[in-house]
Amino acid sequence: MMLDMQKRLNNSFYATLSLPSTAMGFALCIQISALSWILSTRFNLKIDEIGIVWAAGPLAGIFGQVIIGLISDDAWFWGGRRRPFILIGGTLAALMVFLLPRIDVVSHLLGIKNILIVAVIIALTLDLSINISFNPTRSIIADLTPEGEARTRGYTWMQTVSGFFGVMAYVIGATLGNDVLISVGAGIVFVFSVVPMFFIKEEREVVKKTETAVATRADWGQLWRIYIAHGFAWLGVQSMFVYTYGFIQQKLVPAGLATKAADAMSGQIIAYSFAVMNTVGFLLPALVLAPLARRIGRVHTQAACVAIMAVGYFLIAATARTPMMLYALMAVVGIGWSAIVSLPFAIMSDKVDKSRMGFFMGVFNLSVVLPQLMSSTGVGFVLKRVPDQSTLYIICGASLAISAALWCLVKDEAPATQAAMPAPAH
Protein backbone atom coordinates (compact mmCIF):
# COMPACT_ATOMS: atom_id res chain seq x y z
CA MET A 1 0.00 0.00 0.00
CA MET A 2 2.73 2.46 1.02
CA LEU A 3 4.92 1.48 -1.93
CA ASP A 4 2.00 2.13 -4.27
CA MET A 5 1.55 5.54 -2.66
CA GLN A 6 5.27 6.17 -3.14
CA LYS A 7 5.09 5.34 -6.86
CA ARG A 8 2.15 7.68 -7.33
CA LEU A 9 3.92 10.54 -5.49
CA ASN A 10 0.75 11.63 -3.72
CA ASN A 11 0.40 14.02 -0.81
CA SER A 12 0.56 11.25 1.79
CA PHE A 13 3.90 10.13 0.42
CA TYR A 14 5.32 13.67 0.40
CA ALA A 15 4.10 14.24 3.97
CA THR A 16 5.65 10.96 5.15
CA LEU A 17 8.90 11.73 3.34
CA SER A 18 9.05 15.10 5.13
CA LEU A 19 8.88 13.67 8.65
CA PRO A 20 12.54 12.62 9.17
CA SER A 21 13.76 16.10 8.24
CA THR A 22 11.03 17.55 10.45
CA ALA A 23 12.34 15.45 13.36
CA MET A 24 15.83 16.88 12.99
CA GLY A 25 14.45 20.41 12.66
CA PHE A 26 12.34 19.91 15.78
CA ALA A 27 15.38 18.72 17.75
CA LEU A 28 17.31 21.79 16.57
CA CYS A 29 14.46 24.10 17.65
CA ILE A 30 14.46 22.51 21.12
CA GLN A 31 18.19 23.09 21.33
CA ILE A 32 17.82 26.74 20.26
CA SER A 33 14.88 27.42 22.57
CA ALA A 34 16.03 25.57 25.68
CA LEU A 35 19.77 24.88 25.78
CA SER A 36 21.13 28.32 26.75
CA TRP A 37 18.17 28.91 29.08
CA ILE A 38 18.70 25.59 30.89
CA LEU A 39 22.45 26.04 31.19
CA SER A 40 22.02 29.57 32.57
CA THR A 41 19.02 29.22 34.88
CA ARG A 42 19.32 25.63 36.07
CA PHE A 43 23.06 24.94 36.07
CA ASN A 44 24.35 28.51 36.52
CA LEU A 45 26.89 28.44 33.70
CA LYS A 46 28.40 31.76 32.66
CA ILE A 47 27.94 33.24 29.19
CA ASP A 48 31.38 32.17 27.94
CA GLU A 49 30.87 28.65 29.33
CA ILE A 50 27.56 28.41 27.47
CA GLY A 51 29.45 29.42 24.32
CA ILE A 52 31.82 26.49 24.89
CA VAL A 53 28.86 24.10 25.12
CA TRP A 54 27.41 25.48 21.89
CA ALA A 55 30.79 25.10 20.18
CA ALA A 56 30.26 21.33 20.36
CA GLY A 57 27.61 21.62 17.65
CA PRO A 58 29.78 23.16 14.92
CA LEU A 59 32.55 20.68 15.70
CA ALA A 60 30.04 17.87 15.21
CA GLY A 61 28.84 19.48 11.99
CA ILE A 62 32.34 19.63 10.52
CA PHE A 63 32.67 15.87 10.80
CA GLY A 64 29.05 14.75 10.80
CA GLN A 65 27.52 16.23 7.65
CA VAL A 66 30.67 16.10 5.54
CA ILE A 67 31.65 12.52 6.35
CA ILE A 68 28.16 11.04 6.64
CA GLY A 69 27.06 12.83 3.47
CA LEU A 70 29.89 11.20 1.52
CA ILE A 71 29.48 7.78 3.12
CA SER A 72 25.73 7.62 2.59
CA ASP A 73 26.16 8.22 -1.15
CA ASP A 74 27.63 4.73 -1.56
CA ALA A 75 26.65 2.78 1.57
CA TRP A 76 23.89 0.15 1.64
CA PHE A 77 22.80 -1.73 4.76
CA TRP A 78 19.63 -2.24 6.81
CA GLY A 79 17.66 -1.99 3.58
CA GLY A 80 18.86 1.41 2.42
CA ARG A 81 21.67 3.94 2.14
CA ARG A 82 19.92 6.84 3.92
CA ARG A 83 17.71 4.74 6.23
CA PRO A 84 20.47 3.52 8.64
CA PHE A 85 21.77 7.02 9.35
CA ILE A 86 18.25 8.40 9.88
CA LEU A 87 17.40 5.58 12.32
CA ILE A 88 20.64 5.89 14.30
CA GLY A 89 20.70 9.68 14.32
CA GLY A 90 17.01 10.02 15.17
CA THR A 91 17.19 7.61 18.10
CA LEU A 92 20.29 9.26 19.57
CA ALA A 93 18.87 12.76 19.05
CA ALA A 94 15.67 11.83 20.90
CA LEU A 95 17.67 10.42 23.80
CA MET A 96 19.90 13.50 24.06
CA VAL A 97 16.89 15.85 23.96
CA PHE A 98 15.41 13.87 26.86
CA LEU A 99 18.68 14.27 28.81
CA LEU A 100 19.03 18.06 28.33
CA PRO A 101 17.33 19.03 31.62
CA ARG A 102 18.91 16.04 33.36
CA ILE A 103 22.56 16.97 32.94
CA ASP A 104 23.05 16.82 36.70
CA VAL A 105 21.64 13.27 36.81
CA VAL A 106 23.97 12.17 34.03
CA SER A 107 26.86 13.87 35.83
CA HIS A 108 26.07 11.86 38.96
CA LEU A 109 25.73 8.56 37.08
CA LEU A 110 29.01 9.09 35.23
CA GLY A 111 30.81 10.26 38.34
CA ILE A 112 31.86 13.52 36.66
CA LYS A 113 31.53 16.47 39.01
CA ASN A 114 32.15 19.16 36.38
CA ILE A 115 28.71 20.04 34.93
CA LEU A 116 30.35 21.86 32.01
CA ILE A 117 32.05 18.67 30.82
CA VAL A 118 28.80 16.67 30.95
CA ALA A 119 26.90 19.50 29.20
CA VAL A 120 29.47 19.48 26.39
CA ILE A 121 29.17 15.67 26.05
CA ILE A 122 25.37 15.80 25.78
CA ALA A 123 25.38 18.81 23.43
CA LEU A 124 28.05 17.20 21.26
CA THR A 125 26.13 13.91 21.04
CA LEU A 126 22.89 15.74 20.27
CA ASP A 127 24.41 17.82 17.51
CA LEU A 128 26.35 14.89 16.11
CA SER A 129 23.10 12.90 16.01
CA ILE A 130 21.33 15.74 14.20
CA ASN A 131 24.22 16.04 11.76
CA ILE A 132 24.29 12.30 11.13
CA SER A 133 20.68 12.52 9.99
CA PHE A 134 20.34 15.95 8.38
CA ASN A 135 21.99 15.22 5.05
CA PRO A 136 20.33 11.78 4.65
CA THR A 137 16.88 13.24 5.46
CA ARG A 138 17.32 15.79 2.67
CA SER A 139 19.06 13.43 0.26
CA ILE A 140 16.36 10.77 0.51
CA ILE A 141 13.90 13.25 -1.00
CA ALA A 142 16.13 13.65 -4.06
CA ASP A 143 16.59 9.86 -4.22
CA LEU A 144 12.89 9.05 -4.25
CA THR A 145 11.52 11.84 -6.46
CA PRO A 146 12.20 12.48 -10.15
CA GLU A 147 13.91 15.72 -11.23
CA GLY A 148 11.76 18.73 -11.95
CA GLU A 149 8.42 19.68 -10.45
CA ALA A 150 8.06 16.47 -8.40
CA ARG A 151 11.37 17.02 -6.62
CA THR A 152 10.70 20.70 -6.04
CA ARG A 153 7.35 19.69 -4.57
CA GLY A 154 9.12 17.25 -2.26
CA TYR A 155 11.40 19.97 -0.86
CA THR A 156 8.49 22.40 -0.60
CA TRP A 157 6.60 19.86 1.50
CA MET A 158 9.69 19.37 3.62
CA GLN A 159 10.08 23.10 4.24
CA THR A 160 6.38 23.55 5.02
CA VAL A 161 5.96 20.56 7.35
CA SER A 162 9.30 21.13 9.09
CA GLY A 163 8.64 24.85 9.43
CA PHE A 164 5.17 24.30 10.90
CA PHE A 165 6.46 21.92 13.55
CA GLY A 166 9.38 24.23 14.26
CA VAL A 167 6.96 27.04 15.09
CA MET A 168 4.95 24.62 17.23
CA ALA A 169 8.11 23.79 19.18
CA TYR A 170 8.60 27.43 20.14
CA VAL A 171 4.90 27.89 20.95
CA ILE A 172 4.93 24.85 23.24
CA GLY A 173 8.02 26.20 24.99
CA ALA A 174 6.42 29.63 25.43
CA THR A 175 3.03 28.45 26.67
CA LEU A 176 3.75 25.22 28.53
CA GLY A 177 7.42 25.65 29.38
CA ASN A 178 10.69 24.18 28.18
CA ASP A 179 10.33 21.08 30.35
CA VAL A 180 7.11 20.14 28.53
CA LEU A 181 8.71 21.02 25.19
CA ILE A 182 11.61 18.66 25.91
CA SER A 183 9.35 15.80 27.00
CA VAL A 184 7.03 16.14 24.01
CA GLY A 185 9.93 16.84 21.67
CA ALA A 186 11.86 13.70 22.58
CA GLY A 187 8.83 11.64 21.54
CA ILE A 188 8.27 13.57 18.32
CA VAL A 189 11.92 13.32 17.29
CA PHE A 190 11.94 9.55 17.86
CA VAL A 191 8.60 8.81 16.17
CA PHE A 192 9.18 11.09 13.16
CA SER A 193 12.66 9.64 12.59
CA VAL A 194 11.94 5.95 13.06
CA VAL A 195 8.35 5.24 12.00
CA PRO A 196 8.52 6.66 8.42
CA MET A 197 11.50 4.42 7.67
CA PHE A 198 9.20 1.38 7.88
CA PHE A 199 6.92 2.83 5.19
CA ILE A 200 9.46 4.34 2.75
CA LYS A 201 11.29 1.97 0.44
CA GLU A 202 14.70 2.90 -0.96
CA GLU A 203 15.66 1.43 -4.31
CA ARG A 204 19.15 -0.08 -4.70
CA GLU A 205 19.25 1.13 -8.32
CA VAL A 206 19.42 4.74 -7.09
CA VAL A 207 23.08 4.17 -6.19
CA LYS A 208 23.88 3.17 -9.75
CA LYS A 209 22.04 6.21 -11.06
CA THR A 210 24.15 8.47 -8.84
CA GLU A 211 27.39 6.81 -9.92
CA THR A 212 26.60 7.51 -13.59
CA ALA A 213 25.69 11.16 -13.06
CA VAL A 214 27.21 13.46 -15.65
CA ALA A 215 30.17 15.42 -14.33
CA THR A 216 30.09 19.20 -14.65
CA ARG A 217 32.80 21.72 -13.84
CA ALA A 218 32.65 23.43 -10.47
CA ASP A 219 32.93 27.22 -10.50
CA TRP A 220 35.23 27.59 -7.50
CA GLY A 221 35.51 31.37 -7.82
CA GLN A 222 31.76 31.77 -7.42
CA LEU A 223 31.56 29.02 -4.80
CA TRP A 224 34.05 30.79 -2.53
CA ARG A 225 31.99 33.99 -2.76
CA ILE A 226 28.86 32.04 -1.83
CA TYR A 227 30.57 30.27 1.07
CA ILE A 228 31.94 33.50 2.55
CA ALA A 229 28.69 35.44 2.10
CA HIS A 230 26.69 32.60 3.66
CA GLY A 231 29.25 32.29 6.44
CA PHE A 232 28.88 35.91 7.55
CA ALA A 233 25.10 35.45 7.63
CA TRP A 234 25.43 32.43 9.89
CA LEU A 235 27.87 34.22 12.18
CA GLY A 236 25.09 36.69 12.97
CA VAL A 237 22.30 34.12 13.10
CA GLN A 238 24.13 31.73 15.41
CA SER A 239 25.11 34.57 17.73
CA MET A 240 21.42 35.45 18.02
CA PHE A 241 20.50 31.85 18.80
CA VAL A 242 23.15 31.42 21.50
CA TYR A 243 23.17 34.78 23.28
CA THR A 244 19.70 36.32 22.91
CA TYR A 245 18.81 35.14 26.42
CA GLY A 246 21.44 37.54 27.86
CA PHE A 247 19.95 40.51 25.98
CA ILE A 248 16.45 39.57 27.13
CA GLN A 249 17.47 39.16 30.77
CA GLN A 250 19.18 42.57 30.77
CA LYS A 251 16.78 44.64 28.66
CA LEU A 252 13.33 43.05 28.90
CA VAL A 253 12.99 41.34 32.27
CA PRO A 254 12.02 43.89 34.97
CA ALA A 255 14.65 44.53 37.62
CA GLY A 256 13.75 43.16 41.04
CA LEU A 257 11.65 40.30 39.70
CA ALA A 258 12.04 37.09 41.70
CA THR A 259 14.61 34.73 40.21
CA LYS A 260 12.14 31.97 39.34
CA ALA A 261 9.71 34.40 37.73
CA ALA A 262 12.53 36.13 35.82
CA ASP A 263 13.78 32.79 34.49
CA ALA A 264 10.29 31.81 33.35
CA MET A 265 9.71 35.18 31.69
CA SER A 266 13.01 35.11 29.80
CA GLY A 267 12.34 31.57 28.57
CA GLN A 268 8.88 32.57 27.37
CA ILE A 269 10.16 35.67 25.52
CA ILE A 270 12.87 33.61 23.80
CA ALA A 271 10.33 31.03 22.65
CA TYR A 272 7.82 33.59 21.33
CA SER A 273 10.58 35.54 19.58
CA PHE A 274 11.83 32.54 17.64
CA ALA A 275 8.26 31.38 16.97
CA VAL A 276 7.56 34.70 15.23
CA MET A 277 10.81 34.55 13.28
CA ASN A 278 10.22 30.97 12.15
CA THR A 279 6.61 31.62 11.17
CA VAL A 280 7.83 34.23 8.71
CA GLY A 281 10.70 31.91 7.79
CA PHE A 282 8.55 29.00 6.67
CA LEU A 283 5.74 31.01 5.02
CA LEU A 284 7.79 33.32 2.80
CA PRO A 285 9.90 30.91 0.69
CA ALA A 286 7.02 29.44 -1.30
CA LEU A 287 4.61 32.40 -1.10
CA VAL A 288 6.96 35.33 -1.69
CA LEU A 289 10.60 34.45 -2.34
CA ALA A 290 10.08 31.99 -5.19
CA PRO A 291 7.91 34.42 -7.24
CA LEU A 292 10.26 37.30 -6.40
CA ALA A 293 13.31 35.25 -7.42
CA ARG A 294 11.71 34.58 -10.80
CA ARG A 295 11.39 38.34 -11.32
CA ILE A 296 14.70 39.72 -10.04
CA GLY A 297 16.86 36.60 -9.62
CA ARG A 298 17.72 34.49 -6.62
CA VAL A 299 20.95 36.30 -5.73
CA HIS A 300 19.30 39.73 -5.69
CA THR A 301 16.45 38.32 -3.61
CA GLN A 302 18.94 36.78 -1.17
CA ALA A 303 20.96 40.00 -0.85
CA ALA A 304 17.85 42.12 -0.27
CA CYS A 305 16.41 39.80 2.39
CA VAL A 306 19.73 39.57 4.25
CA ALA A 307 20.03 43.38 4.17
CA ILE A 308 16.54 43.67 5.68
CA MET A 309 17.61 41.22 8.40
CA ALA A 310 20.62 43.42 9.19
CA VAL A 311 18.33 46.44 9.59
CA GLY A 312 16.11 44.38 11.91
CA TYR A 313 19.09 43.52 14.11
CA PHE A 314 20.25 47.14 14.37
CA LEU A 315 16.70 48.20 15.31
CA ILE A 316 16.55 45.54 18.03
CA ALA A 317 19.80 46.87 19.49
CA ALA A 318 18.49 50.43 19.49
CA THR A 319 14.77 50.14 20.26
CA ALA A 320 13.66 46.69 21.52
CA ARG A 321 12.91 47.40 25.17
CA THR A 322 9.57 45.60 25.45
CA PRO A 323 8.64 42.03 24.47
CA MET A 324 6.13 43.25 21.86
CA MET A 325 8.74 45.44 20.17
CA LEU A 326 11.14 42.49 20.07
CA TYR A 327 8.45 40.25 18.53
CA ALA A 328 7.67 42.85 15.85
CA LEU A 329 11.33 43.22 14.93
CA MET A 330 11.80 39.44 14.96
CA ALA A 331 9.22 39.33 12.16
CA VAL A 332 11.52 41.66 10.20
CA VAL A 333 14.48 39.41 11.01
CA GLY A 334 12.38 36.48 9.77
CA ILE A 335 12.46 37.91 6.23
CA GLY A 336 16.20 37.31 6.10
CA TRP A 337 15.85 33.95 7.84
CA SER A 338 13.35 32.81 5.19
CA ALA A 339 15.98 33.46 2.51
CA ILE A 340 18.86 31.90 4.44
CA VAL A 341 17.00 28.59 4.85
CA SER A 342 15.82 28.40 1.23
CA LEU A 343 17.85 30.25 -1.42
CA PRO A 344 21.59 29.57 -0.87
CA PHE A 345 21.36 25.84 -1.59
CA ALA A 346 19.61 26.46 -4.91
CA ILE A 347 22.19 29.12 -5.86
CA MET A 348 25.11 26.92 -4.83
CA SER A 349 23.86 23.82 -6.64
CA ASP A 350 24.17 25.59 -10.00
CA LYS A 351 27.92 26.12 -9.47
CA VAL A 352 29.07 22.61 -8.53
CA ASP A 353 30.09 19.37 -10.18
CA LYS A 354 26.74 17.55 -10.24
CA SER A 355 28.43 14.13 -10.04
CA ARG A 356 29.93 15.05 -6.62
CA MET A 357 26.90 16.64 -4.99
CA GLY A 358 27.48 14.84 -1.68
CA PHE A 359 30.98 16.29 -1.42
CA PHE A 360 29.86 19.81 -2.26
CA MET A 361 26.91 19.61 0.15
CA GLY A 362 29.43 18.73 2.86
CA VAL A 363 31.74 21.61 1.92
CA PHE A 364 28.78 23.99 1.79
CA ASN A 365 27.91 22.96 5.34
CA LEU A 366 31.31 24.23 6.46
CA SER A 367 30.11 27.74 5.61
CA VAL A 368 27.53 27.19 8.36
CA VAL A 369 29.42 25.33 11.07
CA LEU A 370 32.70 27.30 11.00
CA PRO A 371 30.87 30.62 11.63
CA GLN A 372 28.88 28.85 14.35
CA LEU A 373 32.16 27.87 15.97
CA MET A 374 33.41 31.46 15.77
CA SER A 375 30.16 32.67 17.33
CA SER A 376 30.32 30.18 20.18
CA THR A 377 33.86 31.23 21.10
CA GLY A 378 34.72 34.73 19.88
CA VAL A 379 31.34 36.44 20.30
CA GLY A 380 30.89 34.94 23.78
CA PHE A 381 34.32 36.26 24.73
CA VAL A 382 33.30 39.77 23.61
CA LEU A 383 29.88 39.77 25.29
CA LYS A 384 31.33 38.68 28.61
CA ARG A 385 33.49 41.82 28.62
CA VAL A 386 30.92 44.44 27.62
CA PRO A 387 28.29 45.79 30.03
CA ASP A 388 25.58 46.41 27.41
CA GLN A 389 24.16 43.23 25.87
CA SER A 390 22.73 45.26 22.98
CA THR A 391 26.23 44.76 21.58
CA LEU A 392 25.03 41.31 20.53
CA TYR A 393 22.62 42.70 17.96
CA ILE A 394 25.15 45.25 16.70
CA ILE A 395 27.48 42.31 15.97
CA CYS A 396 24.60 40.39 14.33
CA GLY A 397 23.62 43.40 12.22
CA ALA A 398 27.19 44.03 11.08
CA SER A 399 27.61 40.37 10.09
CA LEU A 400 24.41 40.37 8.06
CA ALA A 401 25.28 43.70 6.40
CA ILE A 402 28.64 42.27 5.28
CA SER A 403 26.85 39.15 4.02
CA ALA A 404 24.40 41.23 1.97
CA ALA A 405 27.28 43.16 0.37
CA LEU A 406 29.15 39.95 -0.46
CA TRP A 407 26.07 38.35 -2.02
CA CYS A 408 26.06 41.22 -4.53
CA LEU A 409 29.37 39.81 -5.88
CA VAL A 410 27.77 36.45 -6.75
CA LYS A 411 26.49 35.83 -10.27
CA ASP A 412 23.11 34.20 -10.71
CA GLU A 413 23.38 32.34 -13.98
CA ALA A 414 20.28 30.20 -13.50
CA PRO A 415 17.30 30.91 -15.75
CA ALA A 416 15.01 33.52 -14.28
CA THR A 417 12.08 31.14 -14.54
CA GLN A 418 13.68 28.55 -12.29
CA ALA A 419 12.05 28.50 -8.85
CA ALA A 420 14.11 28.43 -5.72
CA MET A 421 14.27 25.08 -4.01
CA PRO A 422 13.61 25.28 -0.28
CA ALA A 423 16.24 23.42 1.73
CA PRO A 424 16.68 24.15 5.41
CA ALA A 425 20.23 24.76 6.63
CA HIS A 426 22.02 23.81 10.01
Side-chain angles (χ1 to χ4, degrees):
M1 176 180 175
M2 183 60 67
L3 184 57
D4 180 62
M5 177 192 73
Q6 181 171 324
K7 290 180 178 178
R8 286 186 290 160
L9 298 177
N10 59 23
N11 290 340
S12 297
F13 169 67
Y14 282 120
T16 303
L17 195 59
S18 300
L19 293 181
S21 179
T22 299
M24 294 304 103
F26 203 92
L28 189 59
C29 289
I30 293 172
Q31 186 182 36
I32 291 168
S33 180
L35 181 58
S36 293
W37 179 83
I38 286 174
L39 295 176
S40 174
T41 62
R42 192 161 299 177
F43 301 110
N44 300 314
L45 294 189
K46 299 177 182 178
I47 194 167
D48 56 330
E49 293 175 325
I50 292 173
I52 292 172
V53 175
W54 273 93
L59 289 173
I62 291 172
F63 298 102
Q65 288 204 25
V66 176
I67 296 174
I68 297 301
L70 289 172
I71 292 175
S72 69
D73 279 342
D74 299 316
W76 188 274
F77 60 101
W78 292 1
R81 63 171 179 166
R82 315 295 185 191
R83 171 189 168 104
F85 301 101
I86 294 173
L87 291 174
I88 295 170
T91 302
L92 283 175
L95 178 60
M96 292 305 108
V97 166
F98 178 77
L99 292 178
L100 277 181
R102 299 168 176 86
I103 294 175
D104 53 342
V105 177
V106 177
S107 176
H108 177 73
L109 290 175
L110 295 178
I112 301 175
K113 295 182 179 180
N114 192 323
I115 288 289
L116 178 60
I117 294 175
V118 179
V120 168
I121 292 172
I122 291 177
L124 179 62
T125 306
L126 173 59
D127 236 276
L128 185 59
S129 302
I130 294 173
N131 280 284
I132 284 173
S133 298
F134 242 129
N135 264 354
T137 61
R138 292 181 295 202
S139 298
I140 198 171
I141 296 174
D143 290 348
L144 300 182
T145 57
E147 292 184 5
E149 178 62 28
R151 184 166 299 169
T152 300
R153 189 180 177 196
Y155 281 105
T156 301
W157 267 88
M158 180 186 72
Q159 175 72 4
T160 302
V161 175
S162 180
F164 172 78
F165 275 93
V167 171
M168 290 304 299
Y170 293 118
V171 171
I172 291 171
T175 57
L176 301 178
N178 282 327
D179 289 318
V180 174
L181 170 62
I182 288 169
S183 299
V184 172
I188 288 177
V189 172
F190 180 77
V191 171
F192 282 13
S193 298
V194 174
V195 173
M197 291 299 98
F198 293 97
F199 296 97
I200 295 172
K201 179 178 176 59
E202 291 189 75
E203 300 290 346
R204 187 67 182 266
E205 289 74 17
V206 172
V207 177
K208 296 180 180 179
K209 181 180 71 174
T210 302
E211 291 173 348
T212 59
V214 177
T216 54
R217 184 176 181 180
D219 189 341
W220 279 104
Q222 288 293 306
L223 285 173
W224 277 112
R225 296 179 186 184
I226 292 171
Y227 295 153
I228 296 172
H230 195 53
F232 270 100
W234 267 99
L235 177 61
V237 168
Q238 183 72 2
S239 298
M240 170 189 67
F241 285 153
V242 178
Y243 302 113
T244 285
Y245 80 93
F247 171 84
I248 289 173
Q249 288 179 332
Q250 185 183 81
K251 301 296 183 181
L252 302 183
V253 176
L257 197 63
T259 301
K260 188 174 182 179
D263 292 344
M265 182 178 181
S266 62
Q268 185 179 62
I269 294 173
I270 290 170
Y272 276 134
S273 297
F274 291 139
V276 170
M277 186 190 77
N278 277 270
T279 299
V280 176
F282 91 84
L283 290 176
L284 257 62
L287 298 178
V288 177
L289 299 191
L292 184 62
R294 285 193 290 267
R295 291 176 60 89
I296 68 173
R298 291 175 299 193
V299 170
H300 289 158
T301 302
Q302 173 75 11
C305 290
V306 169
I308 291 172
M309 192 176 196
V311 172
Y313 280 144
F314 287 132
L315 289 175
I316 290 175
T319 66
R321 298 299 179 265
T322 66
M324 291 306 299
M325 179 61 74
L326 179 62
Y327 302 151
L329 291 173
M330 274 294 185
V332 176
V333 168
I335 295 172
W337 180 238
S338 70
I340 289 171
V341 298
S342 61
L343 293 174
F345 174 80
I347 298 170
M348 180 274 298
S349 63
D350 288 337
K351 316 290 185 184
V352 304
D353 179 350
K354 304 301 188 296
S355 67
R356 303 172 66 201
M357 185 62 73
F359 166 75
F360 282 103
M361 278 287 290
V363 174
F364 182 65
N365 188 58
L366 294 180
S367 69
V368 176
V369 297
L370 291 178
Q372 288 178 335
L373 187 60
M374 292 174 60
S375 170
S376 298
T377 53
V379 176
F381 179 85
V382 171
L383 293 177
K384 184 183 178 181
R385 287 157 176 78
V386 297
D388 188 353
Q389 292 302 300
S390 295
T391 304
L392 165 66
Y393 283 102
I394 295 174
I395 293 172
C396 293
S399 296
L400 270 293
I402 293 172
S403 175
L406 292 174
W407 273 111
C408 294
L409 302 178
V410 177
K411 295 180 181 178
D412 192 354
E413 299 174 357
T417 56
Q418 183 174 343
M421 179 187 295
H426 176 51

